[in-house]
Structures are given as structure tokens and as C-alpha cells.
Amino acid sequence: MTRISILLLFLGISFPILAQDSVVYKPNQIRDFKLIPLPAIASNPANGWLFGIAPSATWRMGNPESTHLSNLVGNLLYTTKKQWLISSRSNIFLADDSWILVGDWRFFITSQPTFGLGSSTPNLPEENPNQLGVWQGEQQMDYNWVRFYETVLKRISTSKFYLGVGYHLDVYSKIENFIDEEMAQELTFSNDFYNQTKGFDLDKNTLSGITLNAVMENRDMAVSPYETNFALISYKINPQFLGSNQSSSTLLLDYRHYFPLSEHRKRHLVAVWSYANFLVSGNLPYMALPSIGYDMFGRSGRGYSQGRFRGESMVYSEAEYRFPLQKSKETFGGTVFVNAASFGSKLTQENLFTKLNPGYGLGLRVMINKENRTTISADYGFGQKGNSGFYLNINESF
């Protein structure tokens, strides 16, 4: 389950959109636009070799003194297994932070192993002793995935609090399960068993819903924070009349806090992150259940592959120590981290916190643009039972 990604080339290029000699800031006028194209070659067991680009862009929509830096991270990757991974994720602050627009758009033609529900699933495939006739452990899935998430948040007066609504659509189609040909095939795949039990189609599932969101945005810079905190409460309603296969609702909680350890070197800090996702009512299709590595930027669960754990409820926590590696310059930095996750499932009768899945690791940071803190992050994480992975990303993990 080792995940390996290798970035062969990165180049920082800045494209100024507006002249810097003007002191007049027009509302929502794009300023200080910087694009960093990242030609990439990567490899992992699920996708084989990947080739493409991973651009990152930052800009401001107003006065720098009152407007956070907006950012967008994209991916356009093609793999040797004839897969396409195309995504765009954005966090846009309008003038004076009056509104925040959050986007997460994806189109994947891909594959990924799944292991069943709960925190106790093994690495290797075997019959589930609690569900005879059903596989648990690694089972490969091929599928197409379309995601369109867009959230609009309005600032409450001059506070750090925002309220807003969003539309969230996930469509999983052409789902196919398979396992090692040398193994017996008479057992039912975890994905099929869950969807059959809950009344979902085996080939295509749709989740379409509205979110009600409350946000506290108090970070100094969203892409690579040095101080203060962030909080999100998101209640999602997925009614059938909007296109969902079944009506359901979920609750997402996200809190992050950053503790500077030096007034002079704020890059020297401790960061903590708590993340929870719960099915509140109804049923979700298997692929839409809370899962490790499925936060917006896919940063949770370093030490395990994406999708390694899944369930109707999820709690995750992480702490990371970040520090500069140079006496006065900010180019190179390091990090050490620990994390833990727990998953519950009514179908397998496993409760939250019955079992914890810890992870730990260390990483290197290379800041390629000091002004907007654009950073290349490379981490190696270790999990239990031989799980591990190398992760290469843009900006900090959280």
C-alpha cells in the first residue's frame, strides 16, 4: 500500500496583472497574480505512472491589508493505466474578505483499492468473519468520478465569522470490482455487499445536496498559515428530488489551530487539526461514505493510502511540528507529524474509537515564493501493519 510520487521539475513564474505603483484598490480587482506551473511525473500502485501538470495560482481581490490571498490548485494528469485525473480546487476571498468562494471540481477516470468498512480491516483480502461470504481487505475498484462543489460564504459584519450555502454533487459511475485472479471469486465485494444491503445501484451512484455552512476564518494566510485558527461546521442535506439515489444528511466538523513558537520566526510553530464526518440520517452510497484522504485537498491520513479506511462515521486528528532549517532564510523547512483516525460502521457493528489507526512521519519543505508562501512539501508517513507512503504536494498539509 505504499504510495510513491516523484516530482521531476518545478518552476516558479510570476505574471503581474496590474502595475504596483497605484494605491487605489478597486473592489474585486485582481492584483498580484502569480502562476506557478508544475510539470509533474509521478507513480503510485493504483495509477501506475502519471504525467501532466499541477499548476498553482495566487492573487488578491482587494487591498492587501484587508483581503486574504486567494488561491487555486489544479491537476491535469494522465496515467499508464489509461486514467485521467483532472481537478481544480479554489479558495477565493473577495475585496475586504466580504465573501469567500470555495470550489472543488473533479473529473476522474481512475481506480483505487478499497478494504471494507471500519478501522479493523486487514491489508490482504480475506473472508470477513463477521459477514460470511463477503470480502474484506484489499479489493480493486475501477470507476469514473465527477464532482462539482461550490460554496458561497458571506462575512458577518467585520467579524471573522461567515455563513453560507453550497451545492455539492458527486456522481460515481462505471464501478467495477476485481481481485487477484488466483484467489477464489465466490465471495461478494465489500462495495457490492454494502450497496445491495442499502438498496443502491452497483454501477452508478449519485449524491446531490445543499450544505449550510458556518466558518471562522482567522488564519493569517489560508495556503500556508503561521498563526491563529480556522473552523468549519457544514450540515449537508441530500434529498432525492435534487437527484440523490436516496435522501440523507451528514455533518462535517473541521478545526485547525496554529501556535507560533517564536516571535521572530513564525515559521517555527505547532499546528493541530481535528476533522470529523458523520452520517446523520438516511444512507450514503459506499463511495460517498467518510473515508481517509477524502478531505478537500486529500491531506488526511499520511501513512495510509487514500480510501484505506471507510465508514458511516469518522474522527481524525493530527499534530505537526514545523520548523525552519536555515538560520535566517526561509527557503528550507522541516516537519514531524503524528495522526490518528477511527471509523465506525453500523453494518459491521464497529463503534467509533473501538480501534485507532495511528500514523507518523517527517517531511521537507521548499518555499519557492516567500511573499505568498508557495511551498513544495515532501513527506514520508508510516502507518500500522506495513502501511506507508511518500506524499508530494503544494503548500502545507493543513
Side-chain angles (χ1 to χ4, degrees):
M1 272 60 76
T2 300
R3 180 172 179 253
I4 302 175
S5 300
I6 306 172
L7 187 69
L8 295 185
L9 178 65
F10 64 83
L11 175 65
I13 301 177
S14 299
F15 297 100
I17 297 300
L18 299 172
Q20 298 299 309
D21 56 356
S22 173
V23 295
V24 177
Y25 296 97
K26 296 181 180 180
N28 302 324
Q29 184 180 32
I30 296 177
R31 299 186 61 86
D32 306 323
F33 184 88
K34 294 180 175 64
L35 173 66
I36 303 175
L38 296 172
I41 298 178
S43 176
N44 66 59
N47 305 110
W49 285 94
L50 302 89
F51 305 88
I53 57 175
S56 173
T58 59
W59 67 95
R60 293 190 192 274
M61 301 291 287
N63 189 333
E65 295 182 359
S66 60
T67 307
H68 272 80
L69 199 67
S70 298
N71 73 289
L72 181 148
V73 177
N75 286 290
L76 174 58
L77 300 169
Y78 182 73
T79 82
T80 52
K81 294 187 178 181
K82 300 181 180 180
Q83 302 165 338
W84 285 97
L85 306 176
I86 305 170
S87 66
S88 170
R89 285 159 288 186
S90 59
N91 207 9
I92 301 172
F93 294 84
L94 299 190
D96 301 319
D97 291 347
S98 56
W99 296 82
I100 304 177
L101 312 178
V102 182
D104 184 357
W105 308 349
R106 307 182 193 187
F107 174 66
F108 288 1
I109 302 174
T110 187
S111 60
Q112 186 180 97
T114 186
F115 296 80
L117 301 180
S119 297
S120 304
T121 54
N123 289 334
L124 299 177
E126 61 182 39
E127 186 173 15
N128 191 329
N130 299 317
Q131 296 172 334
L132 297 180
V134 180
W135 284 113
Q136 65 172 357
E138 184 174 358
Q139 306 150 65
Q140 194 68 25
M141 292 195 304
D142 288 350
Y143 60 96
N144 294 353
W145 182 18
V146 174
R147 164 172 283 188
F148 178 80
Y149 284 11
E150 195 66 41
T151 302
V152 179
L153 300 159
K154 172 61 178 172
R155 188 175 184 177
I156 306 304
S157 186
T158 58
S159 71
K160 301 295 184 180
F161 293 92
Y162 294 78
L163 296 176
V165 297
Y167 175 67
H168 294 238
L169 172 69
D170 286 294
V171 180
Y172 306 93
S173 61
K174 298 184 179 180
I175 304 170
E176 295 184 6
N177 299 272
F178 56 94
I179 207 163
D180 193 323
E181 293 181 358
E182 297 181 359
M183 303 187 69
Q185 297 293 310
E186 68 273 9
L187 303 183
T188 302
F189 293 104
S190 297
N191 170 60
D192 289 349
F193 177 76
Y194 175 90
N195 283 336
Q196 286 174 336
T197 302
K198 300 297 183 179
F200 289 102
D201 189 81
L202 301 185
D203 179 66
K204 181 179 180 180
N205 301 127
T206 299
L207 193 66
S208 175
I210 300 294
T211 56
L212 307 175
N213 305 278
V215 168
M216 178 183 68
E217 179 53 90
N218 199 29
R219 295 172 291 186
D220 60 328
M221 187 175 291
V223 293
S224 294
Y226 284 169
E227 56 187 344
T228 56
N229 50 9
F230 167 88
L232 165 67
I233 301 175
S234 182
Y235 183 67
K236 185 180 178 187
I237 305 168
N238 308 298
Q240 282 187 285
F241 68 79
L242 280 183
S244 297
N245 297 122
Q246 296 183 30
S247 295
S248 62
S249 64
T250 60
L251 178 64
L252 174 66
L253 307 174
D254 190 333
Y255 182 75
R256 309 171 188 206
H257 206 117
Y258 307 89
F259 301 92
L261 300 180
S262 170
E263 276 295 321
H264 304 290
R265 299 294 298 276
K266 289 190 175 181
R267 194 179 183 185
H268 189 205
L269 61 93
V270 171
V272 294
W273 179 21
S274 294
Y275 182 89
N277 199 355
F278 306 100
L279 174 62
V280 176
S281 65
N283 296 308
L284 294 172
Y286 185 89
M287 292 295 293
L289 290 170
S291 182
I292 201 75
Y294 274 86
D295 52 284
M296 180 174 173
F297 288 96
R299 304 298 177 87
S300 62
R302 283 175 291 176
Y304 298 94
S305 60
Q306 187 182 55
R308 176 59 183 84
F309 302 106
R310 190 183 304 268
E312 291 98 323
S313 55
M314 166 189 177
V315 173
Y316 176 81
S317 187
E318 180 164 353
E320 184 170 77
Y321 172 47
R322 302 172 185 171
F323 49 91
L325 290 175
Q326 295 165 288
K327 186 175 181 179
S328 58
K329 296 182 180 180
E330 299 294 340
T331 304
F332 294 101
T335 181
V336 292
F337 60 87
V338 293
N339 61 55
S342 183
F343 289 79
S345 172
K346 293 181 180 179
L347 192 65
T348 61
Q349 299 182 338
E350 183 175 350
N351 295 323
L352 269 176
F353 307 116
T354 299
K355 179 175 174 57
L356 294 177
N357 300 111
Y360 64 94
L362 71 167
L364 175 69
R365 300 291 181 266
V366 181
M367 188 177 293
I368 58 178
N369 188 299
K370 183 177 179 180
E371 182 182 356
N372 59 22
R373 301 182 196 166
T374 301
T375 303
I376 302 295
S377 62
D379 299 311
Y380 202 95
F382 301 87
Q384 288 185 318
K385 299 180 180 179
N387 287 276
S388 64
F390 179 74
Y391 309 88
L392 193 60
N393 291 300
I394 305 296
N395 298 321
E396 294 291 353
S397 294
F398 62 93

